[in-house]
Amino acid sequence: MLLGIDTGGTFTDFVLVTGDGVRVHKVLSDPQAPDEVILRGIRELGLDPAVPKIVHGTTVATNAVLEGKTARVAYVTNRGFADVLTIGRQNRDQLYELKPDSRIPPVPCELCFETGGRLAANGELLEPLEQPEIDRLVKKIIAAGVEAVAINLLFSFLDPELEKSIANSLPASLSVSRSSVVLPEYREYERGIATWLNAAVSPLLRGFLARIEEQIGADKLFIMQSSGETLSAIDAEQSGVRLLLSGPAGGIAAAAWVGLAMNQQRLLTLDMGGTSTDVAMVDGAVQLTTDGRVAGYPVAVPMVDLHTIGAGGGSIAWVDAGGMLHVGPESAGANPGPACYGLGGQSATVTDANLVLGRLVPDDFLGGAMPLDAKQSWQVLEKLGIQMGMDAARAAAGVVRVANEKMAGALRVISAERGYLPADFSLMSFGGAGGQHVCALAEALGIRMALVPRYAGVLSALGMLVARPGQRVSQAVLKDINKVDLVTVEKQFAALEDQARQRLAREGVTQREMTVTRQADLRYQGQSHALVLNWQAPELLADAFHTAHKSLYGHALKRGVELVTLRVAVHGPRPSFSVQPIIAAAKAGSSIAEADTGQALHVWKRDELPSNWSAYGPALITETISTTYLAPGWTATMDTQGNLVLTRPETKQN
């Protein structure tokens, strides 16, 4: 019995897999008590909380960083470097803004502490660190009244003993993060931010996970990492920085899994929920990055390479002083939610606009469990229309067009702006609101095929169950590729491999079940950023780097290549289960609904459709957890696994 749980901004999704098949469930989220929502959903599924193995995609760490509600952290570094996190890279978000908004430092100056124990770039000790100095440092930290400590000494990844000495002298009541553990790599600013983030969210995670573990047991709870791999709850408590994209990673993992089953391995993914939309690329495998950002901070640990915008079903439409229509980033959330929820929402949202346009069936939302109030949607769209000088239906169409363009722009960021032609990919849509926009977005990008997988409305929760357990470790080396000692490198790889294997073994994965991947970061001499490539012989690796650099940036340099970092990923087996195929049956019937634009729509219930069923747009395909709008000119076909394949013979490209 496996239970996947994804906490979103509007709904918390549950996917339960048993010997009898798959069950799905949704509960309105509560950002103030996400653990209570999880336990309530388990009870509503009729489960004993202690029975299933649970894999959870949590937003606790993400929300804490986005809202600035992290733990109070002391930052410890070498003398002269207390301001590194405040200064950063001195990049400006708005290059030509004469009066940019000032940003609050990650750690206030009174909580930044300097000490000795400085290493040189070759690991040589330049300044010692004696116990009396450590004792004085500890007294200052205790007096500051902090909950956690982030230790980031220069070049500590070459010799972690000095950081260990400080950590071992701190009270056990403090949550301590060491940079030599969190991110043992070059670039002290990025390493420091990762260590601070880890320290800042770990106490919150520990409390959240402890409350759930009381009900289900620590050995039954696993957490999705930002890299799309699962981690035991015990390890997750110490690895908060690796959970910042926990939920979205589940959706991308599931998209890759479904795409492989459909023989569609080149995908652009669209995960549209109630609060935001995440887009990503799957090109044979889930794409990872070490240059991700969360709340404007660089997060240099491996995470899924995605782009997020504030456009979801609950995104609020508004008109600025110049009369221009905007959608988001502010969201109505789960409470009060869109006006049609009937919970007191007074603002027009994307969901309200779709309802006014007839692209949602009011009495069939969430399978009829949560009827929508169309009258409320009309009222808020009429108010918005007055500001725009038009009626409610035209205003609703404008809201949807603006939201679509924002999402199309996001899809271009992760494809066209990186040298990929969107038309070479299929568009996979999921999330509760994605199906209402998938045809329009595919047309905007010149894509001929769109996919709406089975359980699309809860695909991120399903992704928790198809993800493999995994551990990723790294070690900085910084060597000229032509001067690499293979014997030394092999020893370093072996040490990393052993470290990752030991961690994974704690999750119950046997050595025989583990698979190992070796990678390396490379860059040209003089560069500060590197590319990640699969490991091979150094002479072949240099050629591969030149080719990859030219493919990504359009040029290769006649310059020496440096080996910067060694990386090892160790994975356990993927959970073995499959979705039951659709059983052929008599063709299901449809009803007729009329959109408020005067357009007649066939309405099909997805769970009544047999395999190889097909229909032409315009139509609505409804299910318990989402609705798909099939636009005019599009054809929908149901495959044997219950996935919808949407095609359009001729596409127009904007």
Side-chain angles (χ1 to χ4, degrees), residues 500-572:
R501 284 179 179 274
Q502 288 183 27
R503 292 181 184 176
L504 202 55
R506 292 201 298 265
E507 300 179 33
V509 181
T510 65
Q511 295 291 331
R512 293 182 61 184
E513 294 175 313
M514 297 179 188
T515 58
V516 179
T517 302
R518 292 179 173 184
Q519 294 181 311
D521 291 9
L522 292 100
R523 69 185 184 191
Y524 286 117
Q525 291 176 354
Q527 287 185 328
S528 59
H529 290 270
L531 299 181
V532 182
L533 300 176
N534 288 330
W535 176 255
Q536 52 186 313
E539 62 274 12
L540 299 176
L541 198 58
D543 291 339
F545 171 74
H546 289 302
T547 301
H549 195 280
K550 186 172 183 179
S551 174
L552 187 59
Y553 299 112
H555 66 278
L557 302 177
K558 294 181 179 180
R559 186 178 295 182
V561 177
E562 292 178 332
L563 174 62
V564 182
T565 307
L566 304 180
R567 299 186 184 276
V568 167
V570 178
H571 293 100

Side-chain angles (χ1 to χ4, degrees), residues 9-10 62 66 245 248 269-280 293-295 305-316 326-331 350 399-414 417-418 433-434 437 441 445:
T10 304
T62 314
L66 292 176
L245 295 184
T269 68
L270 173 79
D271 180 5
M272 184 180 181
T275 305
S276 62
T277 295
D278 301 317
V279 299
R293 301 185 79 86
V294 173
D305 190 4
L306 60 77
H307 183 63
T308 302
I309 58 170
S315 293
I316 294 173
H326 299 265
V327 176
E330 185 179 355
S331 172
V350 175
V399 170
V400 171
R401 281 199 300 271
V402 171
N404 284 344
E405 186 49 45
K406 289 185 69 173
M407 290 184 284
L411 287 163
R412 293 186 187 102
V413 167
I414 55 98
E417 292 186 13
R418 300 182 182 182
H437 301 262
L441 294 174
L445 296 167

